[in-house]
Amino acid sequence: MKILGLTGSIGMGKSTTAAMFEALGVPVHSSDAAVHGIYAGPQAPLVDEAFPGTLRDGVIDRAALSRAVVGNPDALRRLEAIVHPLVRRAEADFLETARRDGHPLVVLDIPLLFETGREADMDAVLVVTAPEAVQRQRVLARPGMTAQKLDAILARQMPDADKRARADFVIDTASGLDAARTAVEAIVRHLG
C-alpha cells in the first residue's frame, strides 16, 4: 500500500483535493478532522484541563481555545503535546484498516506535514497551492477569520514555495476544479 501525503498552506484547497481522492475510492485520513473529533469526543476534557474554560457542553469551543493559544508559543506547544499523539493514534488505526482492506493507495491529509518532519513517512507528497491573493481571499472569507489570525497561522507554516520545491506532485487549485480533478486522476493512476 502506498501512502500519499497531502499538504499545503491554509486556504490552498486541501479539503477539496482530498474529496477528489475520496470520490475515486482512495481512503483519506484528515488530521484536521481527527482534531475536530478529539475536540468533540471523550478526550475533550484533556484539552480543557490544560486550557480551563474551553469546554462547553462536552465540546471544545474552538474560538476560546484559539484565544488561549494564538500568539502564545508555549500554550501552542502544550496543546500540540496533547493532540498530536491522539491524531497519530487515529492515523495508525486508519492505516491498519486500509492495509487490512487491501487498498493500494491511501492519502494522509496533514497540513503541517513538512513542518513536523512527516514527509519521511510518505511514499510521495502532493502539495496543493494557489497564488497568495487567492489564498488570502479564501481564508479571510471564513467565519471569524481575521488578517491577524491568518498571519499567525502562516507564521507557523513553511512558505508555499518551499513546500512546492519539496513535493513529488503539485496541484494549483486556482486553475479550477476540472484541472485539479484531472491532476488527481493522473496521480491515482501513477501511484495506484
Side-chain angles (χ1 to χ4, degrees):
M1 181 177 79
K2 290 186 179 164
I3 302 172
L4 175 65
L6 168 62
T7 195
S9 297
I10 185 171
M12 293 298 197
K14 288 181 300 298
S15 298
T16 300
T17 304
M20 291 176 183
F21 280 99
E22 288 179 318
L24 295 173
V26 177
V28 175
H29 180 270
S30 165
S31 293
D32 281 348
V35 170
H36 294 289
I38 291 164
Y39 290 170
Q43 298 119 338
L46 297 173
V47 177
D48 189 58
E49 285 173 26
F51 302 95
T54 57
L55 189 67
R56 302 206 196 324
D57 300 321
V59 176
I60 294 298
D61 179 332
R62 292 175 50 212
L65 183 60
S66 177
R67 286 190 296 276
V69 300
V70 169
N72 184 337
D74 290 336
L76 187 58
R77 277 191 291 279
R78 234 175 31 247
L79 177 62
E80 289 172 342
I82 296 164
V83 172
H84 285 183
L86 298 170
V87 171
R88 289 296 294 268
R89 189 175 314 137
E91 179 186 294
D93 292 344
F94 165 84
L95 290 171
E96 181 181 320
T97 299
R99 276 192 190 93
R100 187 181 60 240
D101 292 347
H103 289 282
L105 175 65
V106 297
V107 172
L108 298 181
D109 176 354
I110 305 174
L112 298 176
L113 185 139
F114 289 120
E115 293 85 345
T116 56
R118 295 295 312 282
E119 69 270 21
D121 299 334
M122 309 299 147
D123 293 299
V125 174
L126 163 61
V127 169
V128 292
T129 188
E132 182 182 353
V134 172
Q135 175 192 31
R136 290 191 78 79
Q137 179 183 12
R138 288 174 179 172
V139 177
L140 291 174
R142 295 178 182 180
M145 184 55 70
T146 65
Q148 179 186 3
K149 278 187 190 176
L150 173 57
D151 291 341
I153 292 167
L154 290 174
R156 292 187 50 236
Q157 297 185 346
M158 178 183 291
D160 182 54
D162 294 350
K163 289 179 183 180
R164 284 184 277 122
R166 294 172 68 173
D168 299 292
F169 303 98
V170 176
I171 295 177
D172 183 343
T173 62
S175 297
L177 291 175
D178 289 339
R181 204 172 288 109
T182 298
V184 165
E185 290 167 356
I187 293 168
V188 170
R189 280 193 305 275
H190 180 76
L191 294 176

